[in-house]
Amino acid sequence: MTTNFVNVFRHFGPNAEKVLLGKLGLKFGKEYFFEYDENYVSSFPNPSPLLLRFAPGIQQEQSSRFPSFLVDSLPDGWGLLLMDKEFRKQGRALREISYIDRLRYVGNNAMGSLSFSPQESEEFIGKSLEIIGIEKLNQNALAIFEEDSHDVLETLNRIASSGGSRPKGNLYFSKDLRLCNESWQPSFDGWIVKFKTHSTVVNFQRFPTLDAKKLVNAPKMSAHHRGICHF
């Protein structure tokens, strides 16, 4: 059954404060409502200055649509394929799955600064992986991508990168690339592992650790350079 709400939290760094940003609700299976948490409004920056009123109280974007600032937390392409397989495995019809169901499935595993609760998928603690084990992940990804398999390795589901259509995963490696983990570890670097298909090869692409303070200040700096006053 489709759930009708999810709490949205914002994180200001890997080990920093986790703050309740607000609550997203669904009415009649199609109208989305959002309500900022009162404490968040009084202490933290606005994530959607153009489309939502930055004040307590239930509100909607135009046409009752899904809030735009949450879109990047949803799966796309490869991540959507894996998520849909899991919903089907549970016997759920995809036409009945809402964006809230998908955010609850993402839970604490989103790549950005947001997380969602209650979480539908199980909480996981990142496990160490043997480097050779990446090839097993690659073989499983290839079988799924080519529709030769309906079974998804649990690890592959956890590390799935939501963006893009090609099979990929987010893994963390030690500086010497000898150790690998499913989740962020101190002194480890994040890498996007792009699994091979019949027309591509395995590709490793490093992604930087983002500074939450710099991200928050980025719009202000951009406006300043363009001569726009920011209050």
Side-chain angles (χ1 to χ4, degrees), residues 30-144:
K30 58 182 180 179
E31 295 184 16
Y32 287 92
F33 296 81
F34 188 78
E35 181 178 17
Y36 282 114
D37 180 74
E38 185 174 351
N39 292 328
Y40 182 91
V41 170
S42 64
S43 305
F44 298 97
N46 185 0
S48 184
L50 298 180
L51 298 174
L52 289 174
R53 186 179 71 259
F54 196 44
I58 295 175
Q59 57 183 306
Q60 294 175 289
E61 280 197 10
Q62 187 177 7
S63 302
S64 305
R65 66 186 183 186
F66 182 73
S68 301
F69 80 97
L70 297 176
V71 170
D72 278 347
S73 296
L74 290 170
D76 177 29
W78 174 244
L80 185 64
L81 174 65
L82 295 181
M83 187 179 289
D84 285 353
K85 284 181 178 292
E86 182 61 29
F87 284 136
R88 290 192 186 99
K89 183 179 178 181
Q90 297 171 7
R92 302 172 66 178
L94 295 184
R95 65 178 180 277
E96 298 176 356
I97 301 298
S98 71
Y99 289 140
I100 288 179
D101 292 315
R102 295 188 183 280
L103 290 179
R104 287 180 58 152
Y105 186 89
V106 170
N108 291 325
N109 300 329
M111 283 301 296
S113 64
L114 303 181
S115 65
F116 307 94
S117 176
Q119 183 167 327
E120 188 162 309
S121 57
E122 293 184 2
E123 187 79 19
F124 82 95
I125 300 175
K127 301 176 182 177
S128 296
L129 297 175
E130 295 182 6
I131 300 300
I132 194 173
I134 296 176
E135 177 57 28
K136 182 179 180 181
L137 294 178
N138 178 71
Q139 292 172 1
N140 186 246
L142 178 60
I144 294 167

